[in-house]
Amino acid sequence: MPDETTAAGRGALLTPLAPAMRRVLGHFCTGIAVITAHDGAHPIGFTCQSVTSVSLEPPYISFCPSANSTSWPLIREVGSLCVNVLARGQRDVCARFATRGGDKFKEVDWFAGSNGAPTLVGTLAAIEADVELEHAAGDHTIVVARVTGLWAHDERSPLLFFRGDYGVFDENDDV
């Protein structure tokens, strides 16, 4: 008997317009990160859910800021950054850095990492990196950065994004 994941059971394909793309790709659960840098005078940051490992040798990651981001050009100019992987209890941090303007770092504890970029307190992991490559890709930019240092907190759980909302692992599910 076909199910909805087979060609016979799925029906017609959707046209890849923005609402359908958002809905269907929202079924791919992602972590949430805050990309940060410091220009010597001010900390800079934005929320990003498109972060992935690219290569172990050399150590590359990528992330995709919006093409209309006002923070990304400032971080690009600095060149050194930190990818702060948010932990389960950091929804407020996610929301704060997803806004435009204002002091995003107000009431957020952080310290300067070894490359000067803000490392947010309470995160699941932090990845320091230097921007190496960029590629314009529609309404976003694909950034490839060389990892220069990283750490993870093994006792914390991730803040997840799924179907347009926050999610968590169900501790009762078998993995």
Side-chain angles (χ1 to χ4, degrees):
M1 167 160 58
D3 69 14
E4 62 188 61
T5 61
T6 65
R10 76 171 173 239
L13 287 175
L14 300 172
T15 302
L17 299 175
M21 291 282 291
R22 187 173 288 112
R23 187 177 68 76
V24 172
L25 292 173
H27 284 71
F28 182 68
C29 184
T30 65
I32 305 170
V34 172
I35 312 294
T36 61
H38 201 290
D39 68 4
H42 303 95
I44 310 157
F46 66 91
T47 298
C48 184
Q49 76 181 76
S50 299
V51 177
T52 190
S53 172
V54 173
S55 170
L56 298 177
E57 291 293 330
Y60 283 140
I61 59 168
S62 72
F63 59 93
C64 299
S66 172
N68 64 6
S69 169
T70 56
S71 299
W72 169 240
L74 302 173
I75 292 174
R76 176 197 307 119
E77 189 172 316
V78 173
S80 295
L81 56 90
C82 182
V83 176
N84 295 273
V85 180
L86 298 185
R88 184 177 191 166
Q90 294 187 299
R91 288 183 186 193
D92 58 332
V93 175
C94 175
R96 176 179 296 279
F97 283 89
T99 62
R100 282 189 178 272
D103 183 0
K104 296 178 185 181
F105 287 83
K106 184 179 179 181
E107 300 178 20
V108 173
D109 293 329
W110 62 276
F111 59 92
S114 62
N115 66 359
T119 300
L120 306 182
V121 173
T123 58
L124 179 64
I127 305 162
E128 293 186 358
D130 295 331
V131 175
E132 287 217 359
L133 306 165
E134 276 188 81
H135 179 74
D139 57 6
H140 281 70
T141 300
I142 300 169
V143 179
V144 176
R146 180 183 289 267
V147 176
T148 58
L150 65 169
W151 66 264
H153 192 289
D154 292 333
E155 303 301 316
R156 295 183 181 140
S157 296
L159 180 62
L160 302 174
F161 200 69
F162 180 65
R163 293 185 183 162
D165 202 357
Y166 297 106
V168 295
F169 282 115
D170 183 341
E171 302 298 330
N172 298 318
D173 282 346
D174 291 331
V175 180

